[in-house]
Amino acid sequence: NHAFQIVIDEQGRSKIPSLVSFLELGVPLVGFEAEDRSHDVQRDTVLDFDSIRGRKWSDPKLQASIKNRLHGIIAKDNQVAIKAPVDGTDTSLTPEDILSCHLAHLKNITEVYLNQTVNATVISLPSYFDQAQIDAVQRAARSAGLDVQYFLSEWAAASTAYHINRKVTRRTKAEIDTPDYFLIYNIDEDGSSISVKSSLRGNSQTVGSLDDRVYPWDKSKTLPAGLGFSSERTISLIDRILDMSKIEERNITAIVISGESPFIDDLRSTLENFFSDRKILESDVFGHEHAIVYGAAWTTYMLSDGDDGIYPYFLDVTSLSLGIQTPGDVFIQVMSEDVVIPARRTRNFKTTTNDQGDIVVNVCQGNSLAASENQFLGSIKLDSLSLGPNIEAEVELMFQVVDNSLTVVATEKKSNSKNQGTFVVSTTFG
């Protein structure tokens, strides 16, 4: 139905447990089947270990991560291996082997759901992953028959989902080079991670980040049972990230919440009280728990080749608003962002002729209320008017976007000669 959809398995489930259970004979059980078996046979059920994947046996962080594991974790050529029964024989498997089983299972679910072969993917990763861990995930994906097109962090996925690079604050000309700052707060069962991203003229970058799954507590330590959510701890993390980013509370433009946690409402309340006049971004398409998935899916779509891409459930849409510059540097929107292409919009506006009696319409693309902060696309000039200089005139605008081509037609409505001008530009609107 040309909409964002979460892939589900044949039983209608979407959140697949990251578990693999090895049998004495036969293929391993993955996901829910492995979870069901783990209640009876924990010893042969292996979690997808993020913290040990890509680590060398000599890494001191590894030894802290493998304490109290139920599984036999051994060294093999200075790499980590897990002993598991395969076809009746104890076999040493790497964490990449375990992840490969899980990715192959997800690949199969997706192919059944889409009724087509899936060979490529975009993967979002925890923010604390280093290059060795990223390389390990890539090897696992390759083993599962997937070509990783792009890796992005949880923060990047969440900020992409809410299109923060398109959200701007109207500023004075003296503040034109001042970026907008967005707080990205991800919370899940393992803890929280926070990032601050800056956005200026459509370009965004991370200016500060921290992850309380590794900082300030070491991964070798566990939080006290039943700690749950703590407003004081959350505020402490926010203070740290603002200090790290060298900005103040008032500099934050808006807030993004992502992740799946029973404490989402508590987090929202804490953030609303701390940032009393800042907006928490929402979406009509997805909830906070699906923000990272949506961001990864959107990235996949942008990397794909249209209808032949991996995710065909998106339509091309305008990525930024289209409109004109009016007196006082005010941007008047004619076509908003996220309009399905092809699209056509019309709007009437009043303007004043210049000293030569001409009407000049400057066409812009962007989301700033100040036209000069948006991208200038071109102009239409309506000349030879009988109105004279500095006279008010009414103009009808027609904006039409087809593929990557924008056509703008401006018509002076009261002119007996039906004065009209046309402007055409090719750029990336979707």
Side-chain angles (χ1 to χ4, degrees):
N1 60 357
H2 299 295
F4 168 73
Q5 297 182 2
I6 296 290
V7 172
I8 56 176
D9 66 8
E10 293 178 330
Q11 285 72 45
R13 302 168 298 192
S14 61
K15 188 178 180 181
I16 311 300
S18 186
L19 295 171
V20 179
S21 184
F22 294 91
L23 309 176
E24 289 293 335
L25 295 173
V27 297
L29 302 178
V30 185
F32 286 103
E33 291 181 325
E35 183 179 55
D36 292 340
R37 188 169 187 268
S38 69
H39 300 313
D40 301 321
V41 191
Q42 278 192 323
R43 180 177 60 85
D44 297 334
T45 302
V46 182
L47 288 167
D48 177 21
F49 293 136
D50 283 344
S51 59
I52 67 175
R53 190 180 306 117
R55 298 292 186 196
K56 294 185 180 298
W57 188 259
S58 56
D59 188 339
K61 294 180 180 179
L62 171 69
Q63 302 306 316
S65 296
I66 64 177
K67 287 181 180 178
N68 303 319
R69 299 290 188 183
L70 295 174
H71 322 285
I73 299 179
I74 59 174
K76 183 179 180 181
D77 300 328
N78 199 30
Q79 302 295 320
V80 182
I82 301 168
K83 289 194 297 184
V86 178
D87 290 334
T89 305
D90 276 348
T91 305
S92 60
L93 302 172
T94 66
E96 294 94 283
D97 294 329
I98 307 300
L99 177 59
S100 179
C101 291
H102 186 60
L103 292 176
H105 183 60
L106 296 179
K107 178 178 184 289
N108 180 64
I109 292 174
T110 305
E111 290 178 336
V112 171
Y113 183 81
L114 296 178
N115 193 28
Q116 69 180 74
T117 301
V118 175
N119 295 318
T121 184
V122 167
I123 297 179
S124 64
L125 297 173
S127 54
Y128 57 80
F129 265 35
D130 58 24
Q131 191 58 49
Q133 291 172 296
I134 294 172
D135 291 342
V137 174
Q138 186 151 24
R139 290 193 297 271
R142 191 180 301 117
S143 178
L146 291 168
D147 178 22
V148 181
Q149 301 292 303
Y150 194 73
F151 285 113
L152 73 167
S153 69
E154 294 165 338
W155 298 320
S159 60
T160 297
Y162 287 97
H163 303 298
I164 66 168
N165 62 318
R166 306 179 192 172
K167 302 183 186 300
V168 295
T169 302
R170 185 176 184 184
R171 304 186 185 280
T172 65
K173 289 186 177 180
E175 300 172 322
I176 194 170
D177 292 323
T178 302
D180 289 280
Y181 292 97
F182 297 86
L183 182 80
I184 319 295
Y185 201 115
N186 181 64
I187 183 171
D188 57 30
E189 60 186 9
D190 295 324
S192 303
S193 59
I194 314 176
S195 170
V196 171
K197 284 185 171 288
S198 67
S199 178
L200 181 63
R201 301 187 188 93
N203 297 315
S204 62
Q205 62 180 351
T206 301
V207 295
S209 62
L210 63 85
D211 195 319
D212 80 342
R213 290 173 289 194
V214 294
Y215 175 85
W217 294 280
D218 188 271
K219 287 291 285 186
S220 63
K221 301 176 183 177
T222 56
L223 297 175
L227 177 63
F229 179 82
S230 167
S231 294
E232 292 77 14
R233 177 174 163 218
T234 299
I235 292 171
S236 174
L237 292 171
I238 293 172
D239 285 335
R240 287 179 180 272
I241 193 66
L242 292 177
D243 182 64
M244 183 185 300
S245 305
K246 294 181 172 52
I247 60 172
E248 299 179 12
E249 170 192 340
R250 60 183 175 83
N251 299 125
I252 296 294
T253 300
I255 302 162
V256 168
I257 297 176
S258 65
E260 189 166 3
S261 167
F263 306 114
I264 285 285
D265 290 340
D266 298 306
L267 174 62
R268 171 188 288 277
S269 177
T270 299
L271 293 174
E272 287 176 341
N273 289 332
F274 188 88
F275 299 97
S276 58
D277 59 345
R278 294 298 181 263
K279 180 180 180 181
I280 296 178
L281 300 181
E282 304 283 354
S283 171
D284 295 331
V285 180
F286 58 88
H288 297 302
E289 73 277 12
H290 290 144
I292 292 174
V293 177
Y294 184 91
W298 180 262
T299 301
T300 304
Y301 172 71
M302 297 303 290
L303 292 171
S304 69
D305 52 356
D307 291 340
D308 293 328
I310 302 165
Y311 283 83
Y313 292 96
F314 291 101
L315 289 174
D316 285 335
V317 297
T318 52
S319 58
L320 295 168
S321 299
L322 297 165
I324 62 168
Q325 182 182 37
T326 60
D329 195 35
V330 177
F331 177 65
I332 297 296
Q333 183 186 100
V334 178
M335 185 179 295
S336 65
E337 65 175 320
D338 293 331
V339 172
V340 176
I341 298 172
R344 177 174 176 159
R345 297 288 188 275
T346 59
R347 179 166 182 168
N348 295 337
F349 79 102
K350 292 183 179 181
T351 187
T352 303
T353 60
N354 61 20
D355 292 340
Q356 288 72 46
D358 302 328
I359 296 175
V360 178
V361 180
N362 293 325
V363 180
C364 306
Q365 178 185 36
N367 289 329
S368 174
L369 297 177
S372 59
E373 295 180 8
N374 295 325
Q375 181 184 2
F376 174 71
L377 297 179
S379 298
I380 298 175
K381 183 180 179 181
L382 303 180
D383 51 17
S384 303
L385 297 178
S386 58
L387 295 174
N390 303 315
I391 300 296
E392 186 179 85
E394 186 175 4
V395 175
E396 179 186 78
L397 290 172
M398 188 281 293
F399 278 51
Q400 178 173 289
V401 178
V402 179
D403 295 327
N404 285 329
S405 177
L406 166 67
T407 300
V408 180
V409 178
T411 305
E412 199 279 299
K413 297 197 69 176
K414 294 183 179 180
S415 173
N416 294 329
S417 60
K418 193 70 174 179
N419 196 12
Q420 189 176 82
T422 300
F423 165 79
V424 180
V425 63
S426 294
T427 185
T428 302
F429 300 102

